[in-house]
């Protein structure tokens, strides 16, 4: 486990510790089921146990950490129920986002989206899951911004954080990565043609395929 804190002079230490642990869980650096030992984490981050304890309490409220009787804190498992709950909400909001983006996306935003899509294509064979996940995030973020609806962007960003753990699961499979790239390409094409019906259909298929891939990955563990 290699944890590094990104210090921020505007944030209290407890928030920096919380952000560090949260990011490590979302990116899979702290694995599902892994115990969170206060003393070990405090030593690794060079802080006292108090901000660690406060961070763990906040992570428990977010559902990223669970407290086990007599065993202490551990990283929450990724369950099929959680996945289905997140993706049901995400699918509804993504369909709305793509519908608005079809009407509002600018030429500049389209070019940016297509550049990201091409970058994703180039990363497929590399196996660098972190870079692939970040490029996937950028692709969807560009569509969100094209809605020109900041309230929707805010809601989708909150959901995106919860999706990060699942993204790392489905990107492990190279066949899934190739399918994902083709779906990105189809979404770009529908947006350029302002074909709202096709765009909504592609986004729905895109999320359904992710759901199947993650469930398959979870069942293999």
């Amino acid at each position: 486990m290699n944890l590094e804190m990104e210090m921020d002079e505007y944030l209290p230490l407890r928030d920096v510790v919380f952000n560090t642990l949260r990011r490590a869980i979302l990116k899979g650096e702290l694995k599902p089921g892994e115990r969170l030992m206060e003393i070990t984490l405090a030593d690794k981050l060079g802080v006292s146990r108090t901000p660690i304890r406060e961070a763990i309490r906040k992570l428990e409220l977010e559902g990223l950490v669970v407290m086990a009787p007599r065993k202490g804190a551990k990283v929450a498992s990724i369950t099929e129920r959680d996945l289905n709950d997140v993706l049901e909400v995400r699918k509804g909001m993504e369909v709305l986002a793509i519908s608005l983006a079809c009407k509002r996306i600018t030429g500049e935003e389209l070019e940016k989206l297509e550049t990201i899509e091409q970058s994703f294509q180039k990363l497929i064979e590399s196996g660098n899951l972190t870079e692939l996940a970040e490029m996937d995030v950028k692709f969807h973020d560009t569509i969100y911004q094209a809605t020109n609806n900041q309230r929707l962007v805010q809601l989708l960003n909150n959901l995106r954080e919860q999706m990060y753990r699942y993204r790392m699961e489905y990107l492990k499979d190279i066949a899934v990565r190739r399918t994902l790239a083709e779906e990105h390409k189809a979404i770009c094409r529908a947006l350029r043609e302002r074909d709202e019906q096709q765009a909504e259909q592609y986004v729905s298929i895109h999320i359904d395929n992710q759901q199947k891939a993650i469930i398959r990955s979870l069942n293999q563990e």
Side-chain angles (χ1 to χ4, degrees), residues 6 21 91 104 124 131 135 201 210:
E6 292 181 13
L21 295 180
K91 188 173 178 179
R104 301 172 182 174
I124 287 173
E131 278 191 35
M135 201 58 66
Q201 184 181 343
Q210 286 175 26

Side-chain angles (χ1 to χ4, degrees), residues 33 58 100 128 144:
K58 283 180 71 176
L100 293 174
N128 187 325
Y144 302 161

Side-chain angles (χ1 to χ4, degrees), residues 2-68:
N2 182 27
L3 295 178
E4 287 186 19
M5 283 203 303
E6 292 181 13
M7 298 306 294
D8 187 326
E9 59 182 305
Y10 299 107
L11 283 179
L13 181 61
R14 65 175 180 273
D15 290 342
V16 175
V17 171
F18 167 72
N19 289 339
T20 301
L21 295 180
R22 187 172 188 270
R23 187 169 57 248
I25 292 171
L26 292 172
K27 291 193 172 185
E29 291 160 3
L30 287 169
K31 309 289 183 191
E34 187 171 341
R35 289 185 67 190
L36 299 177
M37 309 292 290
E38 288 180 13
I39 295 174
T40 305
L41 291 170
D43 286 345
K44 281 190 177 294
L45 297 179
V47 298
S48 72
R49 291 173 65 181
T50 302
I52 299 289
R53 196 175 299 123
E54 290 173 348
I56 287 173
R57 200 174 299 127
K58 283 180 71 176
L59 290 165
E60 185 186 10
L61 291 174
E62 284 205 357
L64 292 174
V65 164
V66 293
M67 302 301 293

Side-chain angles (χ1 to χ4, degrees), residues 84-214:
N84 290 335
D85 286 353
V86 169
L87 285 181
E88 275 182 7
V89 178
R90 184 184 170 204
K91 188 173 178 179
M93 289 201 292
E94 289 259 2
V95 168
L96 172 59
I98 202 76
S99 171
L100 293 174
C102 265
K103 301 180 183 81
R104 301 172 182 174
I105 196 165
T106 65
E108 188 179 337
E109 286 168 332
L110 267 171
E111 284 181 19
K112 180 182 177 183
L113 192 66
E114 287 169 348
T115 300
I116 294 166
E117 180 264 315
Q118 288 159 13
S119 298
F120 187 90
Q121 290 268 4
K122 290 173 186 172
L123 286 167
I124 287 173
E125 309 298 325
S126 74
N128 187 325
L129 299 187
T130 302
E131 278 191 35
L132 278 159
E134 286 172 359
M135 201 58 66
D136 191 30
V137 167
K138 282 183 184 177
F139 182 85
H140 289 277
D141 276 355
T142 304
I143 294 172
Y144 302 161
Q145 292 299 329
T147 66
N148 201 23
N149 182 321
Q150 288 310 303
R151 184 65 65 188
L152 180 59
V153 170
Q154 186 179 31
L155 290 169
L156 281 161
N157 283 345
N158 290 340
L159 200 60
R160 179 190 63 191
E161 296 288 321
Q162 297 173 53
M163 272 302 300
Y164 204 102
R165 297 179 90 195
Y166 304 121
R167 265 193 178 91
M168 299 303 278
E169 283 298 316
Y170 65 72
L171 288 172
K172 289 175 185 175
D173 187 333
I174 193 164
V176 170
R177 299 202 293 263
R178 289 170 181 155
T179 300
L180 201 65
E182 290 306 308
E183 290 165 356
H184 282 176
K185 194 183 290 185
I187 289 167
C188 283
R189 187 168 60 248
L191 281 169
R192 185 166 283 285
E193 293 170 1
R194 310 276 175 178
D195 189 332
E196 199 173 326
Q197 188 175 354
Q198 282 276 55
E200 289 179 6
Q201 184 181 343
Y202 290 143
V203 162
S204 294
I205 292 169
H206 185 57
I207 294 171
D208 288 343
N209 284 343
Q210 286 175 26
Q211 186 172 19
K212 290 172 193 168
I214 299 165

